[in-house]
Amino acid sequence: MKRRTVLLTGLATLIARPSFSQNQPVIRVLKSPTCGCCSAWVDHVMQSGFAVEAQDVDQDTLYAEKDRLQIAPDLAGCHTATVEDYFIEGHVPALDIQRLLADRPEARGLTVPGMPMSSYGMAGPGAGDTYDTLLVAKDGTTSVFASHS
């Protein structure tokens, strides 16, 4: 009888506990409908517990969003997202987004310029190259937020 009580109590605790995604803000993603790496990145972010609203758009709409967010061309990736007051550009790892939201730096957002092969959504960690997630300050300058291999 005690074992059943313990199991039922544990199950009730799991059911009552809100999931990680219920505690996280929604990440809104604009991406190309034909880009597999963008969809794979969205899957990575969702598997990390974030709620995601992904919208397939044409290139003109995507570039207009990058312009609206003042993402410089040399900082651009293949998809653009927003979460709260930050932009998330390109293949930024979910852990970096979690850290951004926990630390709340005075910044415009995070970017992984280009399409590094070792990034989530591409071949993934260990694919050979190293890359940095950059923090974009309010004035547009960048600093390394995290390094990945």
Side-chain angles (χ1 to χ4, degrees), residues 28-124:
R28 290 175 176 78
V29 183
L30 295 183
K31 65 182 194 65
S32 167
T34 59
C35 185
C37 70
C38 294
S39 296
W41 180 81
V42 167
D43 290 344
H44 157 69
V45 173
M46 289 173 56
Q47 289 169 1
S48 297
F50 283 100
V52 177
E53 292 178 5
Q55 182 179 358
D56 291 337
V57 297
D58 61 38
Q59 289 298 318
D60 290 341
T61 302
L62 186 57
Y63 294 141
E65 180 69 356
K66 293 175 192 300
D67 288 344
R68 184 186 74 77
L69 295 169
Q70 300 177 342
I71 299 170
D74 62 323
L75 298 178
C78 61
H79 52 267
T80 302
T82 56
V83 59
E84 295 189 351
D85 294 331
Y86 297 107
F87 68 73
I88 307 297
E89 179 67 10
H91 292 268
V92 176
L95 286 176
D96 292 351
I97 300 169
Q98 291 169 353
R99 182 176 145 214
L100 174 78
L101 295 174
D103 294 353
R104 302 222 179 265
E106 286 290 322
R108 293 188 8 231
L110 296 176
T111 183
V112 170
M115 299 170 69
M117 285 306 297
S118 291
S119 64
Y120 290 96
M122 296 297 288

Side-chain angles (χ1 to χ4, degrees), residues 1-10:
M1 191 68 159
K2 287 183 181 182
R3 182 171 187 228
R4 180 182 296 170
T5 303
V6 169
L7 288 174
L8 290 175
T9 303

